[in-house]
Amino acid sequence: MKYQPRHDVAGSRVEDGPLVRLDGVTKSYGSGETEVDALRGIDLSVVAGQFIVVLGPSGSGKTTLMNLVGGIESPTAGAITVAGHDLASADDTALTEYRRTQLGFVFQFFNLIPTLTALENVALVAELVGAPEERARAALDAVGLGERADHFPSALSGGEQQRVAIARALVKDPPLLLADEPTGSLDLDTGRQVLAALHRACRDGGRTVLLVTHNSAIAAMADRVLRLGSGSLVDDEVVAHPVPPEEVHW
Ligand code: ADP
Ligand code: MG
């Protein structure tokens, strides 16, 4: 499965500009004495096709950033544009459509439906987005699990379950994959297999991957590494020679 660049109504390629753009984005929770500033003025521009790792300690705002780019929450101030979608001013219907068509989500916990096989878990999402059913099998093949298609989640390792979750994200054929601590509950070996599957989605599938983690070892495979500290971007580094996921070590 290879992601084909989409064209906007004017016919110009959305990919010609940044895929993701944040301008002065802040996010606060609560009010008064209990107000927490989870993000404090983020400016960020991400071009399509890169594997981007966002590092930061617990509480630095990583999940908040993912939820904003993912259209799950709205910013307190600032502008967010993803693939031509203006998220800050979008209503619920527009955000739902945006999440459905533009995004694949991968979380720390795999959230597979235990009573459905691997293939059925992926096919369910294919059906929800109106994708052809064959795409579910192709997505499982793409993460190296074609032979496990008829297994239930309980018969799969944690790494295999996470790869089913990646297949479920890929079946929508989204330009952007958001991964929040995708290896957070995996050991090194299975974690690498998950990183390899995400890496292939980027390199072979032409997708943009935004991965947030507190595990700084994963930065070695990135094209670009961003660091968050207390809700601010404190570093932005281009990696000249990213290592293959098989060589990531922690
Ligand atoms: P990370 O993913 O880097 O651990 P988060 O984005 O989850 O960080 O959280 C950033 C800050 O925002 C933390 O101080 C956290 O307690 C706070 N926060 C996150 N979500 C909420 C929420 N729904 N309500 C109140 N505070 C929140
Ligand atoms: Mg988090």
Side-chain angles (χ1 to χ4, degrees), residues 97-165:
E97 182 63 8
Y98 161 73
R99 288 193 300 268
R100 198 176 73 83
T101 59
Q102 304 293 316
L103 289 187
F105 276 107
V106 180
F107 301 101
Q108 176 174 354
F109 300 104
F110 329 124
N111 302 322
L112 301 178
I113 298 175
T115 53
L116 298 180
T117 65
L119 182 62
E120 289 166 348
N121 265 281
V122 180
L124 179 68
V125 173
E127 196 181 319
L128 284 176
V129 300
E133 208 185 311
E134 314 85 77
R135 218 197 263 165
R137 200 167 273 281
L140 277 180
D141 286 339
V143 298
L145 285 178
E147 311 215 312
R148 296 269 197 283
D150 297 326
H151 287 56
F152 288 94
S154 59
L156 299 171
S157 72
E160 288 170 337
Q161 289 183 57
Q162 187 63 301
R163 282 188 284 151
V164 174

Coordinates of all heavy atoms in Angstrom, one line a residue, residues 97-165:
E97 N -14.5 14.1 10.7 CA -14.2 13.7 9.3 C -12.7 13.8 9.1 O -12.1 12.9 8.5 CB -14.9 14.7 8.4 CG -14.7 14.4 6.9 CD -15.3 13.0 6.5 OE1 -16.0 12.3 7.3 OE2 -15.0 12.7 5.3
Y98 N -12.1 14.8 9.7 CA -10.6 14.9 9.6 C -9.9 13.7 10.2 O -9.0 13.0 9.6 CB -10.1 16.2 10.4 CG -8.7 16.2 10.8 CD1 -7.7 16.4 9.8 CD2 -8.3 16.0 12.1 CE1 -6.4 16.4 10.1 CE2 -7.0 16.0 12.4 CZ -6.0 16.2 11.5 OH -4.7 16.2 11.8
R99 N -10.3 13.2 11.4 CA -9.7 12.1 12.1 C -9.9 10.8 11.3 O -9.1 10.0 11.2 CB -10.3 11.9 13.5 CG -9.8 12.9 14.5 CD -10.1 12.5 15.9 NE -11.6 12.3 16.1 CZ -12.4 13.2 16.6 NH1 -11.9 14.4 16.9 NH2 -13.7 13.0 16.7
R100 N -11.1 10.7 10.7 CA -11.5 9.5 9.9 C -10.7 9.4 8.7 O -10.3 8.3 8.3 CB -13.0 9.6 9.6 CG -13.7 8.3 9.2 CD -15.2 8.5 9.0 NE -15.4 9.2 7.8 CZ -15.5 8.7 6.6 NH1 -15.4 7.4 6.5 NH2 -15.8 9.4 5.5
T101 N -10.4 10.5 8.0 CA -9.8 10.4 6.7 C -8.3 10.7 6.7 O -7.6 10.2 5.8 CB -10.5 11.3 5.7 OG1 -10.3 12.7 6.2 CG2 -11.9 11.0 5.5
Q102 N -7.8 11.5 7.6 CA -6.4 11.9 7.5 C -5.4 11.3 8.4 O -4.2 11.4 8.2 CB -6.4 13.5 7.7 CG -7.3 14.3 6.8 CD -6.8 14.2 5.3 OE1 -5.6 14.3 5.0 NE2 -7.7 14.0 4.4
L103 N -6.0 10.6 9.4 CA -5.1 10.1 10.5 C -5.1 8.7 10.8 O -6.2 8.0 10.7 CB -5.5 10.8 11.8 CG -5.3 12.3 12.0 CD1 -5.7 12.6 13.4 CD2 -3.9 12.7 11.7
G104 N -4.0 8.1 11.1 CA -3.9 6.8 11.8 C -3.3 7.1 13.2 O -2.3 7.8 13.3
F105 N -4.0 6.5 14.2 CA -3.5 6.6 15.6 C -2.9 5.3 16.1 O -3.5 4.2 15.9 CB -4.7 6.9 16.5 CG -5.0 8.4 16.6 CD1 -6.2 8.8 16.0 CD2 -4.3 9.3 17.3 CE1 -6.6 10.2 16.0 CE2 -4.6 10.6 17.4 CZ -5.8 11.1 16.7
V106 N -1.8 5.4 16.8 CA -1.2 4.2 17.4 C -0.9 4.6 18.9 O -0.2 5.6 19.1 CB 0.0 3.7 16.7 CG1 0.6 2.5 17.4 CG2 -0.2 3.4 15.3
F107 N -1.5 3.9 19.8 CA -1.3 4.3 21.3 C -0.4 3.3 22.0 O -0.1 2.2 21.4 CB -2.7 4.3 22.0 CG -3.7 5.3 21.3 CD1 -4.7 4.8 20.5 CD2 -3.6 6.7 21.6 CE1 -5.6 5.7 19.9 CE2 -4.5 7.5 21.0 CZ -5.5 7.1 20.2
Q108 N -0.1 3.6 23.2 CA 0.7 2.7 24.0 C 0.0 1.3 24.2 O 0.6 0.3 24.1 CB 1.1 3.3 25.4 CG 1.8 2.3 26.3 CD 2.3 3.0 27.5 OE1 2.1 4.2 27.8 NE2 2.9 2.2 28.4
F109 N -1.3 1.4 24.5 CA -2.0 0.1 24.7 C -2.8 -0.1 23.4 O -3.4 0.9 22.8 CB -2.9 0.2 25.9 CG -2.0 0.4 27.1 CD1 -1.9 1.7 27.7 CD2 -1.2 -0.6 27.6 CE1 -1.1 1.9 28.8 CE2 -0.4 -0.4 28.7 CZ -0.3 0.8 29.3
F110 N -2.9 -1.3 22.9 CA -3.2 -1.6 21.6 C -4.7 -1.4 21.3 O -5.1 -1.2 20.1 CB -2.7 -3.0 21.2 CG -1.4 -3.4 21.9 CD1 -1.4 -4.5 22.7 CD2 -0.3 -2.5 21.9 CE1 -0.2 -4.9 23.4 CE2 0.8 -2.8 22.6 CZ 0.9 -4.0 23.3
N111 N -5.5 -1.6 22.3 CA -7.0 -1.5 22.2 C -7.6 -2.3 21.0 O -8.4 -1.8 20.3 CB -7.3 0.0 21.9 CG -6.8 0.9 23.1 OD1 -6.9 0.5 24.2 ND2 -6.3 2.1 22.7
L112 N -7.1 -3.5 20.9 CA -7.8 -4.4 19.9 C -9.0 -5.0 20.5 O -9.2 -5.1 21.7 CB -6.8 -5.5 19.5 CG -5.5 -5.1 18.9 CD1 -4.6 -6.3 18.6 CD2 -5.7 -4.2 17.6
I113 N -10.0 -5.4 19.6 CA -11.2 -6.0 20.1 C -10.9 -7.5 20.3 O -10.6 -8.2 19.4 CB -12.4 -5.7 19.1 CG1 -12.6 -4.2 19.0 CG2 -13.6 -6.5 19.6 CD1 -13.7 -3.8 18.0
P114 N -11.0 -8.0 21.6 CA -10.5 -9.3 21.9 C -11.3 -10.4 21.2 O -10.7 -11.5 21.0 CB -10.6 -9.4 23.4 CG -11.5 -8.3 23.8 CD -11.5 -7.2 22.8
T115 N -12.5 -10.2 20.8 CA -13.4 -11.2 20.3 C -13.3 -11.3 18.7 O -14.0 -12.0 18.1 CB -14.8 -11.1 20.7 OG1 -15.2 -9.7 20.3 CG2 -15.0 -11.3 22.1
L116 N -12.5 -10.4 18.2 CA -12.2 -10.4 16.7 C -10.8 -10.8 16.4 O -9.9 -10.5 17.2 CB -12.5 -9.0 16.1 CG -13.9 -8.4 16.3 CD1 -13.9 -7.0 15.7 CD2 -14.9 -9.3 15.7
T117 N -10.6 -11.5 15.3 CA -9.3 -11.9 14.8 C -8.5 -10.7 14.4 O -9.1 -9.6 14.3 CB -9.3 -12.9 13.7 OG1 -9.9 -12.2 12.5 CG2 -10.2 -14.1 14.0
A118 N -7.2 -10.9 14.2 CA -6.4 -9.8 13.7 C -7.0 -9.2 12.4 O -7.2 -7.9 12.3 CB -5.0 -10.3 13.4
L119 N -7.3 -10.0 11.5 CA -7.9 -9.5 10.2 C -9.2 -8.8 10.4 O -9.5 -7.7 9.9 CB -8.1 -10.7 9.2 CG -8.6 -10.3 7.9 CD1 -7.7 -9.4 7.1 CD2 -8.9 -11.5 7.0
E120 N -10.1 -9.4 11.3 CA -11.4 -8.7 11.6 C -11.2 -7.4 12.3 O -12.0 -6.4 12.0 CB -12.3 -9.7 12.4 CG -12.7 -10.9 11.6 CD -13.3 -12.0 12.5 OE1 -13.1 -11.9 13.8 OE2 -13.9 -12.9 12.0
N121 N -10.2 -7.3 13.1 CA -9.9 -6.0 13.8 C -9.6 -4.9 12.7 O -10.1 -3.8 12.8 CB -8.8 -6.1 14.8 CG -9.2 -6.3 16.2 OD1 -9.7 -5.4 16.9 ND2 -9.2 -7.6 16.6
V122 N -8.8 -5.3 11.7 CA -8.4 -4.3 10.7 C -9.6 -4.1 9.7 O -9.8 -3.0 9.3 CB -7.1 -4.8 10.0 CG1 -6.7 -3.9 8.9 CG2 -6.0 -5.1 11.0
A123 N -10.3 -5.2 9.4 CA -11.4 -5.1 8.4 C -12.5 -4.2 8.9 O -13.2 -3.5 8.1 CB -11.9 -6.5 8.0
L124 N -12.7 -4.2 10.2 CA -13.7 -3.4 10.8 C -13.5 -1.9 10.5 O -14.4 -1.2 10.2 CB -13.7 -3.6 12.4 CG -14.7 -2.8 13.2 CD1 -16.2 -3.3 12.9 CD2 -14.5 -3.0 14.7
V125 N -12.3 -1.5 10.6 CA -11.9 -0.1 10.4 C -12.0 0.2 8.9 O -12.5 1.2 8.4 CB -10.5 0.3 10.9 CG1 -10.1 1.7 10.5 CG2 -10.5 0.2 12.4
A126 N -11.6 -0.8 8.0 CA -11.7 -0.6 6.6 C -13.2 -0.4 6.2 O -13.5 0.5 5.4 CB -11.2 -1.9 5.9
E127 N -14.1 -1.1 6.9 CA -15.5 -1.0 6.6 C -16.0 0.4 7.1 O -16.8 1.1 6.3 CB -16.3 -2.1 7.3 CG -17.7 -2.3 6.9 CD -18.4 -3.4 7.7 OE1 -17.7 -4.4 7.9 OE2 -19.6 -3.2 8.0
L128 N -15.6 0.8 8.2 CA -16.0 2.1 8.8 C -15.6 3.3 7.8 O -16.4 4.2 7.7 CB -15.4 2.4 10.1 CG -16.0 1.6 11.3 CD1 -15.1 1.9 12.6 CD2 -17.4 2.0 11.5
V129 N -14.5 3.2 7.2 CA -14.1 4.3 6.3 C -14.4 4.0 4.9 O -14.0 4.8 4.0 CB -12.5 4.6 6.5 CG1 -12.2 5.0 7.9 CG2 -11.7 3.4 6.0
G130 N -15.1 2.9 4.6 CA -15.5 2.6 3.2 C -14.3 2.1 2.3 O -14.4 2.3 1.1
A131 N -13.3 1.6 3.0 CA -12.1 1.1 2.2 C -12.4 -0.3 1.7 O -13.1 -1.1 2.4 CB -10.9 1.1 3.0
P132 N -11.9 -0.7 0.6 CA -12.1 -2.1 0.1 C -11.5 -3.1 1.1 O -10.5 -2.9 1.7 CB -11.3 -2.2 -1.2 CG -10.5 -0.9 -1.3 CD -11.0 0.1 -0.4
E133 N -12.2 -4.2 1.2 CA -11.9 -5.2 2.3 C -10.5 -5.8 2.0 O -9.8 -6.1 3.0 CB -12.9 -6.3 2.3 CG -13.1 -7.0 3.6 CD -14.0 -8.2 3.5 OE1 -15.1 -8.0 3.0 OE2 -13.6 -9.3 4.0
E134 N -10.1 -5.9 0.7 CA -8.7 -6.5 0.5 C -7.6 -5.6 1.1 O -6.6 -6.1 1.4 CB -8.4 -6.5 -1.0 CG -9.5 -7.0 -2.0 CD -10.5 -5.9 -2.3 OE1 -10.2 -5.1 -3.2 OE2 -11.6 -6.0 -1.7
R135 N -8.0 -4.4 1.4 CA -7.0 -3.5 1.9 C -6.6 -3.9 3.4 O -5.5 -3.7 3.8 CB -7.4 -2.1 1.9 CG -6.3 -1.1 1.6 CD -6.6 0.3 2.0 NE -7.1 1.0 0.9 CZ -7.8 2.2 1.0 NH1 -8.0 2.7 2.2 NH2 -8.2 2.8 -0.1
A136 N -7.5 -4.6 4.1 CA -7.2 -5.1 5.4 C -6.1 -6.1 5.4 O -5.2 -6.1 6.2 CB -8.5 -5.6 6.0
R137 N -6.2 -7.0 4.4 CA -5.2 -8.1 4.3 C -3.9 -7.5 3.9 O -2.8 -7.8 4.4 CB -5.6 -9.2 3.3 CG -4.9 -10.5 3.5 CD -5.6 -11.6 2.8 NE -6.6 -12.3 3.5 CZ -6.4 -13.2 4.5 NH1 -5.2 -13.5 4.8 NH2 -7.4 -13.8 5.1
A138 N -3.9 -6.5 3.0 CA -2.7 -5.8 2.5 C -2.0 -5.1 3.7 O -0.8 -5.1 3.8 CB -3.0 -4.9 1.4
A139 N -2.8 -4.5 4.5 CA -2.3 -3.8 5.7 C -1.6 -4.7 6.7 O -0.5 -4.4 7.2 CB -3.4 -3.0 6.4
L140 N -2.2 -5.9 6.9 CA -1.6 -6.9 7.7 C -0.3 -7.4 7.1 O 0.7 -7.6 7.8 CB -2.5 -8.1 8.0 CG -3.5 -7.9 9.1 CD1 -4.4 -9.2 9.2 CD2 -2.8 -7.6 10.5
D141 N -0.3 -7.6 5.8 CA 1.0 -8.0 5.1 C 2.0 -6.9 5.3 O 3.2 -7.2 5.5 CB 0.7 -8.2 3.6 CG 0.0 -9.5 3.3 OD1 0.0 -10.4 4.2 OD2 -0.7 -9.6 2.2
A142 N 1.6 -5.7 5.2 CA 2.6 -4.6 5.3 C 3.3 -4.5 6.6 O 4.4 -4.0 6.7 CB 1.9 -3.2 5.0
V143 N 2.7 -5.0 7.7 CA 3.3 -5.1 9.0 C 3.9 -6.5 9.3 O 4.2 -6.8 10.5 CB 2.4 -4.6 10.1 CG1 2.0 -3.1 9.9 CG2 1.2 -5.5 10.3
G144 N 3.9 -7.3 8.3 CA 4.5 -8.6 8.5 C 3.7 -9.6 9.2 O 4.2 -10.6 9.8
L145 N 2.4 -9.4 9.2 CA 1.5 -10.3 10.0 C 0.5 -11.1 9.1 O -0.5 -11.6 9.6 CB 0.7 -9.5 11.1 CG 1.6 -9.1 12.3 CD1 0.8 -8.3 13.2 CD2 2.2 -10.3 13.0
G146 N 0.7 -11.2 7.8 CA -0.2 -11.9 6.9 C -0.5 -13.3 7.4 O -1.7 -13.7 7.3
E147 N 0.5 -13.9 8.0 CA 0.2 -15.3 8.4 C -0.5 -15.4 9.8 O -0.9 -16.5 10.1 CB 1.6 -16.0 8.5 CG 2.4 -15.8 7.3 CD 3.3 -17.0 6.8 OE1 4.0 -17.5 7.7 OE2 3.2 -17.3 5.6
R148 N -0.6 -14.3 10.4 CA -1.3 -14.4 11.7 C -2.7 -13.8 11.6 O -3.4 -13.6 12.6 CB -0.5 -13.5 12.7 CG 0.8 -14.0 13.1 CD 0.8 -14.9 14.3 NE 2.1 -15.1 14.9 CZ 3.0 -15.9 14.4 NH1 2.8 -16.5 13.2 NH2 4.2 -16.0 15.0
A149 N -3.2 -13.6 10.4 CA -4.5 -12.9 10.2 C -5.6 -13.5 11.0 O -6.5 -12.8 11.4 CB -4.8 -12.9 8.7
D150 N -5.6 -14.9 11.1 CA -6.8 -15.5 11.8 C -6.6 -15.7 13.3 O -7.4 -16.4 13.9 CB -7.1 -16.8 11.1 CG -7.5 -16.6 9.6 OD1 -8.1 -15.5 9.3 OD2 -7.1 -17.4 8.8
H151 N -5.5 -15.2 13.8 CA -5.3 -15.3 15.3 C -6.1 -14.2 16.0 O -6.2 -13.1 15.6 CB -3.8 -15.1 15.6 CG -3.0 -16.3 15.2 ND1 -2.9 -16.8 13.9 CD2 -2.1 -17.1 15.9 CE1 -2.1 -17.8 13.9 NE2 -1.6 -18.0 15.1
F152 N -6.5 -14.6 17.2 CA -7.2 -13.6 18.1 C -6.1 -12.9 18.9 O -5.0 -13.4 19.1 CB -8.1 -14.3 19.1 CG -9.4 -14.8 18.4 CD1 -9.5 -16.1 17.9 CD2 -10.4 -13.9 18.2 CE1 -10.6 -16.5 17.3 CE2 -11.6 -14.3 17.6 CZ -11.7 -15.7 17.1
P153 N -6.3 -11.7 19.3 CA -5.3 -10.9 20.1 C -4.6 -11.7 21.2 O -3.4 -11.6 21.4 CB -6.1 -9.7 20.6 CG -7.2 -9.5 19.6 CD -7.6 -10.9 19.1
S154 N -5.4 -12.5 21.9 CA -4.8 -13.2 23.1 C -3.8 -14.2 22.6 O -3.0 -14.7 23.4 CB -5.9 -13.9 23.8 OG -6.6 -14.8 23.0
A155 N -3.8 -14.6 21.3 CA -2.8 -15.6 20.8 C -1.6 -14.8 20.2 O -0.7 -15.5 19.6 CB -3.4 -16.5 19.8
L156 N -1.6 -13.5 20.3 CA -0.5 -12.8 19.7 C 0.4 -12.1 20.8 O -0.1 -11.8 21.9 CB -1.0 -11.6 18.8 CG -1.9 -12.1 17.6 CD1 -2.5 -10.9 17.0 CD2 -1.0 -12.8 16.6
S157 N 1.7 -11.9 20.5 CA 2.6 -11.2 21.5 C 2.2 -9.8 21.5 O 1.5 -9.3 20.6 CB 4.0 -11.4 21.1 OG 4.3 -10.6 19.9
G158 N 2.7 -9.1 22.5 CA 2.4 -7.6 22.6 C 2.9 -6.9 21.3 O 2.2 -6.0 20.8
G159 N 4.1 -7.3 20.8 CA 4.6 -6.6 19.6 C 3.7 -6.9 18.4 O 3.5 -6.0 17.6
E160 N 3.2 -8.1 18.3 CA 2.3 -8.5 17.2 C 1.0 -7.7 17.3 O 0.4 -7.2 16.3 CB 2.1 -10.0 17.2 CG 3.3 -10.8 16.7 CD 3.2 -12.3 16.9 OE1 2.4 -12.7 17.7 OE2 3.9 -13.0 16.2
Q161 N 0.5 -7.6 18.6 CA -0.8 -6.9 18.8 C -0.6 -5.4 18.4 O -1.5 -4.8 17.7 CB -1.2 -7.0 20.2 CG -1.7 -8.3 20.6 CD -2.2 -8.3 22.1 OE1 -3.1 -7.6 22.4 NE2 -1.6 -9.2 22.9
Q162 N 0.6 -4.9 18.7 CA 0.8 -3.5 18.3 C 0.9 -3.3 16.8 O 0.5 -2.4 16.2 CB 2.1 -2.9 19.0 CG 2.3 -1.4 18.8 CD 1.2 -0.5 19.4 OE1 0.0 -0.6 19.0 NE2 1.6 0.3 20.4
R163 N 1.5 -4.3 16.1 CA 1.5 -4.3 14.7 C 0.2 -4.4 14.0 O -0.1 -3.8 13.0 CB 2.5 -5.3 14.2 CG 4.0 -4.8 14.4 CD 5.0 -5.8 13.7 NE 5.1 -7.0 14.4 CZ 5.5 -8.2 13.9 NH1 5.6 -8.2 12.6 NH2 5.6 -9.2 14.6
V164 N -0.7 -5.2 14.7 CA -2.1 -5.2 14.2 C -2.7 -3.8 14.3 O -3.4 -3.3 13.4 CB -3.0 -6.2 15.0 CG1 -4.5 -6.1 14.6 CG2 -2.5 -7.6 14.8
A165 N -2.4 -3.2 15.5 CA -2.9 -1.8 15.7 C -2.4 -0.8 14.6 O -3.1 0.1 14.1 CB -2.6 -1.3 17.1

